[in-house]
Amino acid sequence: LALEEGRALDELELGETEERVPSHMEVAYIPHETGGPYPGIFLFTQSSRMMRPVLQLHLSSVELLGTLEQHNMSIRCPDGGHGGSPGLTFTHSELNAGAMLSVVA
């Protein structure tokens, strides 16, 4: 269920309202887990967030990920391997080995 909701957020087409939504906005979905972090959908637009670029595989486009949203995402290693998670379906891929480190937006 969380993967389906995450894909729905990734594929969201904003259309006419896109002009009013910042392109650097971080949308973090935290699913409910017993003993886990507080669940919800969190929106961040501060310019001082730690961000890093990744390739969104479904749309073949580069997007910036913040530290909170990357926690529940499946990001493929830069070497194309499974990174110790065989059988996992990846939604994103690292651009290169150095891109795994966040940079200030």
Side-chain angles (χ1 to χ4, degrees), residues 15-39:
E16 295 176 10
T17 61
E18 193 167 16
E19 296 173 4
R20 293 178 267 162
V21 177
S23 62
H24 63 277
M25 183 168 72
E26 177 181 357
V27 180
Y29 170 67
I30 308 295
H32 179 279
E33 295 178 26
T34 302
Y38 191 81

Side-chain angles (χ1 to χ4, degrees), residues 24 29 35 40 43 50 58 62 64-65 68 75 79 95:
H24 63 277
Y29 170 67
L43 308 174
M50 298 295 281
H58 181 70
V62 174
L64 294 174
L65 291 185
L68 185 60
I75 304 171
D79 64 0
L95 297 176

Side-chain angles (χ1 to χ4, degrees), residues 3-5 7-8 13-14 17 23 25 36 43 45 47 56 59 61-62 68 71-72 74 84-85 88 91 99 101-102:
L3 183 59
E4 291 174 9
E5 291 174 1
R7 283 187 184 151
E13 299 273 340
L14 298 175
T17 61
S23 62
M25 183 168 72
L43 308 174
T45 58
S47 60
Q56 206 276 357
L59 301 175
S61 63
V62 174
L68 185 60
H71 178 264
N72 290 308
S74 301
S85 302
L88 183 64
T91 57
L101 306 171
S102 297

